[in-house]
Amino acid sequence: MTIEERKHLITVREDAWKARGKGAANDSTQFTVAGRMVKRGLASPTAITPVTSPIGSKTRGTTPVSKPLEDIEARPDMQLESDLKLDRLETFLRRLNNKEVMKPDDDETFAKFYRSVDSTVPRSPVELDEDFDVIFDPYAPKLTSSVAEHKRAVRPKRRVQASKNPLKMLAAREDLLQEYTEQRLNVAFMESKRMKVEKMSSNSSFSEVTLAGLASKENFSNVNLRSVNLTEQNSNNSAVPHKKLMLLQVKGRRHVQTRLVEPRASSLNSGDCFLLISPHHCFLWVGEFANVIEKAKASELATLIQTKRELGCRATYIQTIEEGINTHTHAAKDFWKLLGGQTSYQSAGDPKEDEQYETAIIETNCTYRLMDDKLVLVFDFGSEVYVWHGKEVTLAQRKIAFQLAKHLWNGTFDYENCDINPLDPGECNPLIPRKGQGRPDWAIFGRLTEHNETILFKEKFLDWTELKRPNEKNASELTQQKEDPRVEVKPYDVTRMVSMPQTTAGTVLDGVNVGRGYGLVEGADRRQFEIASVSVDVWHILEFDYSRLPKQSIGQFHEGDAYVVKWKFTVRTAVGSQQRGEHPARVAGKEKCVYFFWQGRQSTISEKGTSALMTVELDEERGAQGGMVVHSGRREEEEENTQSGWRLYCVRGEVPVEGNLLEVACHCSSLRSRTSMVVLNVNKALIYLWHGCKAQAHTKEVGRTAANKIKEQCPLEAGLHSSSKVTIHECDEGSEPLGFWDALGRRDRKAYDCMLQDPGNFNFTPRLFILSSSSGDFAATEFMYPARDPSVVNSMPFLQEDLYSAPQPALFLVDNHHEVYLWQGWWPAENKITGSARIRWAADRKSAMGTVLRYCRGKSVKKPPPKSYLIHAGLEPLTFTNMFPSWEHREDIAEITEMDTEVSNQITLVEDVLAKLCQTVYPLADLLARPLPEGVDPLKLEIYLTDEDFEFALDMTRDEYNALPAWKQVNLKKAKGLF
């Protein structure tokens, strides 16, 4: 076959490949943003061209452009080198077949291949007695550079006669060093420092930076926090690096930019992704023509902000809104409401606009630093201005940098010479000029310190990296392990769950287990120690200030505030009769001081951060706080909290000295038959101590102790005064006086699931397990009550936040002795579960239900197993919510749950749902319908068909189908609608 024929054949096959729709040209019209916009008529067909980098286009213009080569015309009289090689090969094969003796051709001899050497150059014999340099050819070219001349000039003079052996001559030289001794300074200091760090980190899970902070001896009593008024808190003077409402634009292709834009509907466009962040919401808005890089970046940012509670966002889940798909849902209404109403916004721009935007927006960045100081920097990103400083910067330098940054913030900005205005990149607001005075109110002026930067600030840098723990697992392995949908998940071993834990509450502080904070405790060496309190001090933390509580207010907390508690205690060794519980002998002990921070569930992020900064030593264990009362609202809103005149508290705790009160809604539905309640009339100074019919004796005693403390202390936080004469009336459930129902409204026993007619015994402690396969293997982890005491019954050890604050969707096993519940959380995103997430969730649900049924059989070996029920978040029945001290109905969660058509308010048995999930055969019509039945693997729909339906749907038998390669099986299922 000639070259012309081969070229023609290649051209024909290439045209056929493109015609079948598998070529690169067809891909560009189907899968790129430009191709989709051309289909919709929003761009011209010329837009479907390879996108060139704007940076590359600048440098490419300096090099000459070569003229494209013309097509080579094949002519028979043209002698090509390839034809000559083919002729020689044919001649060689012909001679080999004829067995002729081959002779070297003139064109293939060595004389032609190698360069001939002129042998007429005179050669002189080399005398070995001469110097070693004589060996070299005197006619060889020598180096004449300055480097070579310098080497010859500094060549050392020989002190001895030259040796005939060059190795001996080299060994005889004395100016060459044979050994090198390293000189190290501060060896002892560095080694002692290393040993201290190693000793501190050997038995600790904290990082080196955390350990260094805990070991510091900074005196926090000398730290004065700045006091500001209410107007300054709402302005930019606070330098908080985030706003209550922020709209972030995610735009780009190569290096995606995340910028703050004005939070209004007109700032949106169809070609980018946007994040709307508020204290209680996290919305992800995806434009119709956003590219895949923008979508991936926006999803990653939303996950980080929601999980790590960045930028002041405390949303429990992310709400995704895709343009043209789910823009009319309940979440979309909240989205448009935060933006001030749904209005028109811009359409998608040119497909090449993303890279042009990257180059233009980067040119608007400005960076300033103090003279001769690299640890204080000011970054101006247009809509964001940050003052960043290191940890070792002095207070004077910080003040100077802050004042200069404030002048920059309030001064004139000018972007007339820039291609884009960072304050209005879409040019949608004519009120924002390119040159003006002062930044808009929605812009950010923030102060950042080293290692405390926000995610929005980190996104401005191309190579920002986070420090990782050395014992951290490989991220790629974890990702592969989580995303593999076909990993088999097995139920958990219930033998590890059935046995009741006998561990008591304990907190290790400074290497000492203080137990419950009082009495005798046992050390690691089996010795007895006595813990005794010396003093307790409490500070109330505001967002920008703090105040010390008076002595009479110690123990009075609000769920909307944060506090720092300073506890001084002594540790004494118990000796002699003291160990036998007799009168203790006074033995000198070591005094210790510990700081705790108490954060209410409704407190702000700033208050939590301020309380953490004031704390010297922190501990995550929620130790017992004797006599604590948690009021609703905030301390500044005490007058509003006491306007109704009636307040209702739930009694918690099992030991009288540790009893605490939790304020709940003053309504009949807040009563609980398994505990005691305190009803306080502020105006009449009257207390009704109400005992439920199933309350334990020690619970009633805890309630009496708590009521007497209120009577003695008359706390101002509860609306009482020191002159109040408090009267206590004790009553039982079913025999309440008439005045009791004046506080709770009409008498409605069904509102709180009254247990007066229940003959069952309730002397048990509920248990709570979280079921998850996030670590790879399906496991059950028990939630332990922080102030647990195994010797007594804990009626209500858990809170609603234990369920709702877990990463969703979550699965919890709740053991109420008489029945077992499987609580199923909600999916944060409103779109359908697809791909690996759906398969993993179905596998987790099956394993959780199998674990619940095995748990019921394992805990009642001799008796019939208790019933197990499946309940959904937002639709919990009254029998379930009465297991918690208080319960707030979440309407937003209920709407998400009700989107599933099969979910209803009726209680469903776990075994019935599991049998439905484990169904192995489905009709063909059910598998072709959408959504698919629960528990069905969307990647293997053919395994659920009968043999008749299989042949009818795929036009072949199972054996013929299994003989096909995997890619043909997938294409066949797609064509038949079974994928």
Side-chain angles (χ1 to χ4, degrees):
M1 182 180 293
T2 63
I3 296 178
E4 185 176 3
E5 293 175 348
R6 289 182 179 273
K7 179 182 176 182
H8 178 69
L9 181 61
I10 293 173
T11 305
V12 172
R13 291 181 178 177
E14 184 179 0
D15 294 338
W17 178 68
K18 292 182 178 179
R20 286 198 298 267
K22 299 181 180 178
N26 190 52
D27 291 345
S28 65
T29 61
Q30 288 188 10
F31 306 111
T32 61
V33 176
R36 286 185 286 147
M37 294 181 65
V38 169
K39 285 185 177 182
R40 294 288 299 274
L42 301 177
S44 62
T46 58
I48 309 177
T49 56
V51 181
T52 58
S53 174
I55 301 176
S57 62
K58 294 181 181 179
T59 59
R60 197 177 296 122
T62 59
T63 59
V65 181
S66 60
K67 185 178 181 180
L69 298 177
E70 298 179 356
D71 294 340
I72 299 176
E73 182 180 357
R75 291 179 292 181
D77 57 345
M78 184 182 295
Q79 295 295 330
L80 300 178
E81 183 182 357
S82 59
D83 295 338
L84 295 176
K85 291 183 178 180
L86 289 175
D87 295 340
R88 291 174 186 173
L89 180 60
E90 292 176 357
T91 305
F92 170 77
L93 294 176
R94 191 181 308 112
R95 292 177 181 178
L96 183 63
N97 294 331
N98 297 333
K99 297 183 179 180
E100 296 179 359
V101 178
M102 293 182 291
K103 297 179 181 180
D105 193 2
D106 287 340
D107 294 336
E108 299 295 336
T109 57
F110 287 98
K112 185 178 180 180
F113 184 78
Y114 291 99
R115 181 176 58 88
S116 61
V117 181
D118 188 6
S119 59
T120 61
V121 180
R123 297 277 184 175
S124 61
V126 179
E127 298 291 340
L128 294 179
D129 294 337
E130 296 286 338
D131 190 86
F132 189 71
D133 294 333
V134 183
I135 298 176
F136 295 99
D137 186 4
Y139 292 94
K142 295 183 180 180
L143 294 175
T144 59
S145 65
S146 59
V147 177
E149 296 295 337
H150 175 73
K151 287 185 177 180
R152 294 192 185 98
V154 299
R155 182 178 298 170
K157 298 181 180 181
R158 296 184 178 88
R159 298 179 182 178
V160 295
Q161 186 179 359
S163 173
K164 297 180 181 180
N165 191 335
L167 296 179
K168 290 183 178 181
M169 181 187 67
L170 185 64
R173 291 177 59 175
E174 297 179 356
D175 56 339
L176 299 177
L177 294 177
Q178 303 295 334
E179 296 180 354
Y180 172 73
T181 304
E182 182 183 4
Q183 296 181 0
R184 298 186 61 184
L185 303 177
N186 300 330
V187 177
F189 174 76
M190 298 299 294
E191 184 64 18
S192 61
K193 184 176 180 180
R194 185 192 64 80
M195 293 176 63
K196 287 182 180 179
V197 173
E198 184 178 357
K199 182 179 178 181
M200 292 174 60
S201 60
S202 59
N203 298 322
S204 175
S205 61
F206 296 108
S207 63
E208 294 182 2
V209 177
T210 306
L211 292 173
L214 295 176
S216 63
K217 299 181 180 180
E218 184 175 354
N219 187 4
F220 283 91
S221 61
N222 296 330
V223 178
N224 296 321
L225 298 181
R226 186 168 56 94
S227 178
V228 297
N229 52 25
L230 186 60
T231 59
E232 193 175 359
Q233 294 181 19
N234 296 330
S235 65
N236 285 319
N237 293 333
S238 60
V240 178
H242 57 80
K243 291 284 188 177
K244 290 186 178 180
L245 184 63
M246 294 180 293
L247 183 63
L248 309 182
Q249 182 182 17
V250 182
K251 184 180 183 64
R253 181 179 295 274
R254 298 180 184 273
H255 307 300
V256 182
Q257 301 291 316
T258 304
R259 298 291 175 138
L260 179 71
V261 296
E262 187 177 6
R264 51 186 294 179
S266 59
S267 300
L268 303 176
N269 66 73
S270 301
D272 302 321
C273 295
F274 292 84
L275 294 175
L276 184 61
I277 309 298
S278 71
H280 304 289
H281 297 89
C282 181
F283 291 98
L284 170 58
W285 194 86
V286 181
E288 183 180 1
F289 298 104
N291 59 57
V292 293
I293 303 176
E294 294 170 342
K295 294 179 182 179
K297 189 65 176 179
S299 178
E300 178 186 358
L301 286 176
T303 303
L304 288 174
I305 292 173
Q306 188 270 328
T307 55
K308 295 186 177 182
R309 297 194 171 187
E310 284 265 5
L311 304 177
C313 179
R314 302 178 60 195
T316 56
Y317 58 93
I318 303 170
Q319 301 182 72
T320 304
I321 302 174
E322 298 185 18
E323 184 184 9
I325 297 178
N326 57 344
T327 54
H328 300 286
T329 59
H330 178 74
K333 295 179 181 178
D334 295 339
F335 176 80
W336 295 116
K337 183 178 179 181
L338 290 175
L339 290 178
Q342 184 174 3
T343 59
S344 60
Y345 50 85
Q346 296 179 351
S347 59
D350 188 83
K352 301 179 182 179
E353 182 188 36
D354 290 337
E355 292 196 14
Q356 298 172 357
Y357 170 83
E358 292 178 6
T359 306
I361 199 69
I362 290 175
E363 292 178 351
T364 63
N365 297 341
C366 295
T367 306
Y368 309 89
R369 70 177 179 89
L370 294 181
M371 295 296 295
D372 301 328
D373 192 346
K374 297 181 180 180
L375 294 179
V376 179
L377 300 172
V378 177
F379 297 91
D380 184 2
F381 300 117
S383 59
E384 308 162 42
V385 176
Y386 298 101
V387 183
W388 182 94
H389 58 77
K391 292 184 177 180
E392 299 179 358
V393 177
T394 62
L395 181 60
Q397 292 174 326
R398 297 180 187 180
K399 289 183 177 180
I400 294 174
F402 188 84
Q403 292 175 359
L404 294 177
K406 211 54 174 165
H407 284 299
L408 177 66
W409 171 264
N410 296 323
T412 304
F413 62 88
D414 186 3
Y415 297 106
E416 291 183 346
N417 296 328
C418 300
D419 294 336
I420 195 172
N421 182 7
L423 295 174
D424 187 20
E427 299 182 355
C428 55
N429 189 355
L431 300 179
I432 301 180
R434 284 180 173 262
K435 183 177 180 181
Q437 183 79 19
R439 310 298 167 98
D441 295 336
W442 50 266
I444 291 178
F445 179 80
R447 179 187 301 180
L448 300 173
T449 58
E450 186 179 0
H451 302 315
N452 289 313
E453 299 87 357
T454 61
I455 187 65
L456 183 58
F457 177 78
K458 297 176 186 178
E459 284 299 314
K460 304 299 186 301
F461 299 86
L462 182 63
D463 56 350
W464 191 284
T465 56
E466 296 287 350
L467 295 176
K468 296 183 179 180
R469 298 289 298 273
N471 58 349
E472 194 173 355
K473 292 185 178 180
N474 191 357
S476 61
E477 294 179 1
L478 292 177
T479 304
Q480 182 179 4
Q481 190 176 23
K482 290 181 180 180
E483 293 184 354
D484 187 4
R486 281 164 254 192
V487 177
E488 183 179 1
V489 183
K490 299 180 180 179
Y492 189 67
D493 185 8
V494 297
T495 57
R496 303 180 183 180
M497 305 169 56
V498 174
S499 58
M500 290 287 295
Q502 298 299 322
T503 56
T504 59
T507 305
V508 178
L509 301 175
D510 198 14
V512 179
N513 185 3
V514 299
R516 312 185 76 86
Y518 59 89
L520 296 177
V521 295
E522 187 176 285
D525 53 356
R526 312 291 294 180
R527 290 192 302 169
Q528 296 285 334
F529 296 92
E530 182 188 11
I531 307 297
S533 295
V534 177
S535 63
V536 177
D537 296 313
V538 182
W539 286 267
H540 174 217
I541 306 302
L542 298 175
E543 190 169 359
F544 306 100
D545 200 359
Y546 68 96
S547 61
R548 188 168 184 167
L549 295 184
K551 185 177 181 181
Q552 61 271 18
S553 295
I554 292 179
Q556 307 294 323
F557 297 87
H558 289 77
E559 63 180 10
D561 296 330
Y563 300 85
V564 171
V565 181
K566 177 183 178 183
W567 177 40
K568 285 187 177 180
F569 65 98
T570 57
V571 181
R572 294 195 291 261
T573 304
V575 295
S577 59
Q578 190 175 3
Q579 297 183 2
R580 297 188 293 269
E582 301 176 6
H583 184 69
R586 289 296 177 184
V587 180
K590 184 178 180 180
E591 184 174 297
K592 294 179 179 293
C593 179
V594 177
Y595 285 82
F596 296 93
F597 63 93
W598 188 93
Q599 299 173 348
R601 60 177 182 175
Q602 301 294 339
S603 59
T604 63
I605 298 295
S606 300
E607 292 172 345
K608 293 180 180 180
T610 307
S611 64
L613 289 175
M614 290 186 58
T615 307
V616 175
E617 184 166 353
L618 313 178
D619 194 273
E620 295 181 356
E621 189 75 26
R622 293 179 293 175
Q625 300 287 339
M628 181 172 64
V629 181
V630 181
H631 305 277
S632 61
R634 301 173 62 90
R635 185 171 291 271
E636 297 84 359
E637 304 169 354
E638 290 178 0
E639 296 182 359
E640 299 179 6
N641 298 333
T642 57
Q643 286 181 355
S644 61
W646 290 96
R647 309 186 77 165
L648 180 62
Y649 298 88
C650 179
V651 177
R652 302 193 70 206
E654 316 307 328
V655 183
V657 295
E658 300 176 3
N660 56 85
L661 299 178
L662 175 65
E663 186 172 6
V664 296
C666 191
H667 190 266
C668 185
S669 59
S670 300
L671 297 178
R672 299 291 185 265
S673 295
R674 290 203 63 187
T675 187
S676 299
M677 310 291 293
V678 173
V679 184
L680 172 62
N681 189 323
V682 178
N683 300 327
K684 299 181 180 180
L686 177 65
I687 291 179
Y688 288 103
L689 179 57
W690 181 86
H691 301 299
C693 60
K694 303 297 181 181
Q696 303 294 317
H698 60 272
T699 304
K700 297 179 181 180
E701 187 62 30
V702 172
R704 296 188 186 99
T705 304
N708 289 327
K709 282 189 176 181
I710 294 179
K711 179 180 179 180
E712 296 171 1
Q713 299 176 357
C714 295
L716 296 175
E717 292 78 4
L720 300 176
H721 303 279
S722 57
S723 59
S724 301
K725 302 290 185 179
V726 180
T727 306
I728 301 176
H729 291 284
E730 195 169 348
C731 60
D732 295 329
E733 183 179 7
S735 59
E736 300 89 352
L738 295 178
F740 176 82
W741 296 107
D742 294 340
L744 306 178
R746 66 186 185 88
R747 184 183 308 180
D748 187 4
R749 301 286 185 185
K750 295 182 180 180
Y752 68 97
D753 192 24
C754 177
M755 298 182 181
L756 287 172
Q757 306 299 327
D758 193 339
N761 192 3
F762 285 83
N763 55 349
F764 58 86
T765 300
R767 303 178 67 184
L768 181 65
F769 298 87
I770 182 171
L771 310 176
S772 174
S773 63
S774 58
S775 61
D777 298 329
F778 190 82
T781 306
E782 184 169 7
F783 271 56
M784 304 300 296
Y785 180 41
R788 57 191 174 276
D789 186 357
S791 60
V792 296
V793 174
N794 301 323
S795 301
M796 296 182 180
F798 309 112
L799 300 173
Q800 181 184 3
E801 286 74 20
D802 295 333
L803 303 179
Y804 277 73
S805 62
Q808 301 297 331
L811 293 166
F812 282 90
L813 186 153
V814 186
D815 180 11
N816 198 32
H817 188 69
H818 299 300
E819 62 271 341
V820 177
Y821 297 97
L822 177 60
W823 185 86
Q824 177 179 316
W826 67 97
W827 275 91
E830 293 188 1
N831 51 354
K832 297 181 181 179
I833 310 170
T834 57
S836 60
R838 179 179 184 126
I839 300 173
R840 171 62 68 180
W841 175 242
D844 282 358
R845 290 188 66 204
K846 290 181 183 178
S847 301
M849 293 178 188
T851 302
V852 169
L853 295 179
R854 293 185 182 184
Y855 179 83
C856 294
R857 292 192 295 266
K859 67 172 296 186
S860 303
V861 180
K862 299 181 181 180
K863 298 180 181 179
K867 294 290 185 181
S868 55
Y869 302 98
L870 175 66
I871 58 177
H872 298 81
L875 303 175
E876 297 88 354
L878 194 60
T879 54
F880 179 83
T881 58
N882 267 25
M883 298 169 54
F884 301 85
S886 63
W887 192 272
E888 178 185 358
H889 178 65
R890 296 285 300 273
E891 187 65 32
D892 54 339
I893 305 300
E895 290 183 5
I896 297 175
T897 306
E898 288 174 347
M899 291 177 63
D900 190 345
T901 56
E902 297 186 6
V903 175
S904 62
N905 291 321
Q906 298 179 357
I907 300 179
T908 312
L909 291 175
V910 172
E911 53 187 350
D912 295 342
V913 181
L914 182 60
K916 188 175 181 180
L917 291 179
C918 295
Q919 185 176 344
T920 58
V921 178
Y922 286 90
L924 178 60
D926 293 348
L927 298 178
L928 293 176
R930 296 295 182 272
L932 291 170
E934 279 192 296
V936 171
D937 188 348
L939 302 180
K940 300 178 181 179
L941 297 181
E942 71 278 3
I943 66 175
Y944 302 99
L945 293 172
T946 61
D947 294 338
E948 294 78 7
D949 290 341
F950 189 94
E951 295 183 11
F952 177 78
L954 301 178
D955 297 330
M956 62 177 62
T957 62
R958 290 187 187 271
D959 296 337
E960 295 173 348
Y961 174 82
N962 295 330
L964 296 176
W967 65 273
K968 284 191 175 182
Q969 292 179 357
V970 173
N971 289 341
L972 180 61
K973 291 189 294 183
K974 287 182 177 180
K976 302 297 183 180
L978 288 174
F979 190 81

